[in-house]
Amino acid sequence: MSRFPAEFIQAIPKTDLHLHLDGSLRIGTLIDLAREAGIALPAQDEKGLRERVFKDKYQNLEEYLQGFALTTAVMQSEKALFRVSYELMMDNAAEGVRYIEVRFAPQLLMSNSLSFHQVMGAVDNGLRQACDELNATRNPDEPAYNYGIIACAMRFFTGDFSPWYRDFSRAHAFSTPTEIIRAASLELAKGVIRLRAETPIQIVGFDIAGAENGFPAIEHAESYALIQKGMLGKTVHAGEAFGPKSILQAVAKLRTDRIGHGLRLFDEDMIEPQKVADRTAYIESLVNYIADRRIAIEVCLTSNMQTSPEIGELPKHALRKMLEHNLAVTLCTDNRLVSNTSVCQEYALALDNFEINAKCLRNIVLCGFKRSFYYRPYREKRALV
């Protein structure tokens, strides 16, 4: 067991940099919003939903993702988005989390009655009100509560994903599926840059999420070049369901600042031997490249074990090798509802299953603050660190 008491883990200031809004609703809120919107759920109480949808263990990634159809369905109004965002900030603050970066795909929530600006504004308003209330009563000697918003483009989608995706696909009827995905990503990047420049909405970064295998990051290169030009933070879901090649694309082609998951970073078996003669050297070079540039890895232990049960026991998770190679890592929840976890729980799992001394723990905590895409000027971020 860890030599760090639960009370200590609860008390220290923490971050969550990999936190999906649509995967982190309170289950009671999901039930309330579904009832208000007239949306049928597989069960009408928490116990039933935990048994049928939001489980502790899943068979595979496909089963894990089923719950998102329910959460996004109830998040189709400004009122719902405000509530979910407000509660998410409050839930994090209750366990000592001072800074969060909330990510979601706006295009999954947009429709004829809900614009990009309205979606982003509603989320920002909810987070902002929660922070204002928390900071009004906090001890002035303690770090302030704050947040950033990361917009996610989808590696893959069809017109069935949302009304916006349906209309966008129809408007590009003579384009290939890859061209449509690329165009939607670029449209989102343009919107993010515009909103950041013209509004006080705290947009801090850009991400790509969704099916990884078969939908390479390179298709989003133009979007990331635009985000780079707009001087926003860049993170990429990579190495969650595909191998080191996916991570290399993220760091070399998209020039990402952070990597979401990175679970398969050390998996030689996921490298085609006919294309790479020395797979061990390939991984070593990639790891050194990431380490030298302090590209942070957003580690999500519970989520990874649920979507990749073949890993077996938690001590076999790639976090062990990440720590051995002195990589910059920060512990995250991914999806508080879908994974039934919290930031404190992720820290407890790490401390109970890996060799983490006080210095290492300090580095993990600080990495979350140092590698954040903090909205305020750097001098304020430096003071916070």
Side-chain angles (χ1 to χ4, degrees):
M1 295 294 292
S2 168
R3 62 188 178 90
F4 300 100
E7 295 79 10
F8 174 76
I9 299 304
Q10 169 82 22
I12 58 176
K14 297 175 290 295
T15 64
D16 192 346
L17 303 187
H18 193 118
L19 174 61
H20 288 271
L21 182 67
D22 50 349
S24 301
L25 288 70
R26 294 177 182 172
I27 200 163
T29 296
L30 172 64
I31 295 170
D32 287 347
L33 294 176
R35 185 181 300 115
E36 293 174 7
I39 296 171
L41 297 176
Q44 298 304 314
D45 60 356
E46 179 172 351
K47 183 175 183 294
L49 286 173
R50 288 290 182 195
E51 289 176 350
R52 299 184 185 185
V53 185
F54 305 110
K55 308 173 184 179
D56 288 329
K57 295 183 179 180
Y58 298 88
Q59 296 295 320
N60 47 47
L61 179 59
E62 288 71 27
E63 185 183 19
Y64 182 87
L65 295 175
Q66 288 178 359
F68 288 91
L70 300 178
T71 59
T72 54
V74 304
M75 294 167 58
Q76 300 291 324
S77 71
E78 291 179 90
K79 179 182 177 182
L81 288 168
F82 177 93
R83 176 178 175 179
V84 169
S85 304
Y86 174 88
E87 292 176 348
L88 182 57
M89 187 73 235
M90 287 299 192
D91 290 345
N92 274 275
E95 54 171 327
V97 179
R98 298 288 172 155
Y99 177 80
I100 61 175
E101 286 182 358
V102 181
R103 67 182 70 191
F104 59 98
Q107 292 164 336
L108 284 175
L109 308 173
M110 293 159 59
S111 64
N112 291 334
S113 60
L114 203 57
S115 69
F116 175 63
H117 195 158
Q118 288 173 310
V119 169
M120 302 299 282
V123 173
D124 185 80
N125 287 338
L127 295 168
R128 189 182 302 273
Q129 179 164 321
C131 283
D132 286 347
E133 293 176 10
L134 291 164
N135 287 323
T137 58
R138 72 177 172 87
N139 185 326
D141 294 329
E142 296 179 353
Y145 296 92
N146 213 332
Y147 67 93
I149 298 173
I150 297 174
C152 296
M154 299 299 291
R155 285 178 180 260
F156 167 77
F157 64 82
T158 68
D160 296 330
F161 277 37
S162 75
W164 188 89
Y165 280 125
R166 180 194 61 219
D167 293 342
F168 192 82
S169 297
R170 286 177 178 173
H172 295 78
F174 302 107
S175 299
T176 66
T178 298
E179 289 171 338
I180 295 174
I181 290 170
R182 190 185 304 138
S185 176
L186 186 59
E187 185 71 11
L188 180 60
K190 291 176 180 177
V192 165
I193 296 294
R194 177 77 64 85
L195 220 57
R196 169 68 181 236
E198 298 179 357
T199 75
I201 295 173
Q202 293 190 189
I203 300 175
V204 297
F206 193 81
D207 179 30
I208 53 172
E212 189 176 1
N213 191 5
F215 302 96
I218 191 65
E219 300 298 343
H220 301 262
E222 190 175 359
S223 299
Y224 274 78
L226 187 62
I227 293 296
Q228 176 85 18
K229 186 176 180 181
M231 294 177 285
L232 284 168
K234 305 181 300 299
T235 183
V236 177
H237 276 74
E240 181 182 15
F242 202 51
K245 183 179 178 181
S246 177
I247 297 173
L248 178 61
Q249 277 200 5
V251 298
K253 301 297 184 181
L254 304 189
R255 299 182 180 179
T256 190
D257 304 302
R258 301 198 314 243
I259 297 167
H261 296 290
L263 174 64
R264 306 296 184 178
L265 175 59
F266 299 94
D267 283 12
E268 290 188 16
D269 292 342
M270 300 192 83
I271 301 173
E272 297 169 315
Q274 63 271 28
K275 293 186 178 181
V276 178
D278 190 337
R279 292 182 291 180
T280 301
Y282 178 95
I283 290 177
E284 193 67 25
S285 295
L286 176 58
V287 169
N288 287 335
Y289 186 92
I290 292 170
D292 191 51
R293 287 155 184 80
R294 306 313 292 161
I295 297 171
I297 302 178
E298 306 154 358
V299 174
C300 309
L301 294 173
T302 298
S303 171
N304 289 161
M305 298 305 294
Q306 291 171 330
T307 60
S308 302
E310 69 277 3
I311 294 173
E313 299 176 349
L314 188 56
K316 296 180 181 178
H317 189 280
L319 177 60
R320 178 177 61 82
K321 291 185 177 180
M322 292 177 187
L323 295 175
E324 290 173 354
H325 286 78
N326 294 314
L327 296 180
V329 299
T330 177
L331 298 175
C332 310
T333 58
D334 199 10
N335 301 289
R336 294 172 66 95
L337 168 61
V338 180
S339 286
N340 193 19
T341 191
S342 67
V343 174
C344 286
Q345 183 171 320
E346 295 303 302
Y347 271 86
L349 287 172
L351 292 167
D352 288 346
N353 290 277
F354 302 94
E355 294 294 329
I356 298 176
N357 58 23
K359 181 179 180 181
C360 181
L361 176 60
R362 174 183 182 276
N363 288 339
I364 292 173
V365 172
L366 281 177
C367 179
F369 290 99
K370 287 182 176 181
R371 301 303 293 153
S372 69
F373 302 147
Y374 203 66
Y375 182 78
R376 305 295 301 167
Y378 178 74
R379 62 180 178 275
E380 294 185 27
K381 175 181 175 179
R382 180 74 178 181
L384 175 64
V385 172

